[in-house]
Amino acid sequence: MGNSILIIDDEPDICRLLQLNLSKYGYKVKYVHALAEGWQFLKSHPTDVLFLDIHLPDGSGLEALPQIKKLYPALQVITISAYDNGLEKEKALTAGAAHFLPKPFNVGKLQEIITDVKS
């Protein structure tokens, strides 16, 4: 498995924080702020890991997840959300997410999470 990561999140600060920290580990990181942009990127760029926000301005990452996994079954998806009530996590994992990352998150654990989902 390669080292290409896409982040789909509408919060620019979260995107930059993830990109900065993941780049330190040698990952090629791209981010977009909407589902539509994410779909366009996935169509033309091989991607190994996707950080997918559940609540986006143009749709639900949670609702898009089954279709993403259908079209890109090898893609490892890490859902991220500020809404960590347990139900969101359960829905994300049931829909095919490899991991659920609640916001705020510990950037020190990012490498561990990536290694875990890629193994």
Side-chain angles (χ1 to χ4, degrees):
M1 186 173 281
N3 65 350
S4 175
I5 295 176
L6 173 63
I7 302 161
I8 305 175
D9 195 302
D10 59 328
E11 296 181 55
D13 290 343
I14 294 290
C15 292
R16 286 190 292 273
L17 178 69
L18 283 169
Q19 183 181 45
L20 176 67
N21 283 279
L22 292 168
S23 295
K24 289 179 187 176
Y25 299 112
Y27 296 107
K28 297 175 192 161
V29 183
K30 168 74 175 163
Y31 60 82
V32 297
H33 300 298
L35 272 174
E37 292 174 282
W39 280 116
Q40 287 303 108
F41 185 86
L42 287 171
K43 287 179 187 176
S44 57
H45 298 85
T47 303
D48 302 299
V49 177
L50 170 63
F51 281 83
L52 177 63
D53 191 9
I54 289 179
H55 301 281
L56 293 158
D58 63 339
S60 165
L62 199 54
E63 289 177 11
L65 183 54
Q67 184 67 15
I68 291 169
K69 289 301 293 179
K70 181 179 177 183
L71 294 172
Y72 307 98
L75 180 62
Q76 297 301 307
V77 180
I78 299 169
T79 52
I80 52 179
S81 178
Y83 303 96
D84 183 21
N85 61 9
L87 183 59
E88 298 261 329
K89 178 179 181 177
E90 182 181 328
K91 286 181 181 178
L93 296 175
T94 300
H99 191 82
F100 180 88
L101 185 62
K103 295 177 189 175
F105 49 84
N106 181 341
V107 295
K109 294 196 179 255
L110 288 174
Q111 177 63 29
E112 179 182 325
I113 292 166
I114 296 288
T115 301
D116 183 48
V117 301
K118 288 176 72 173
S119 61

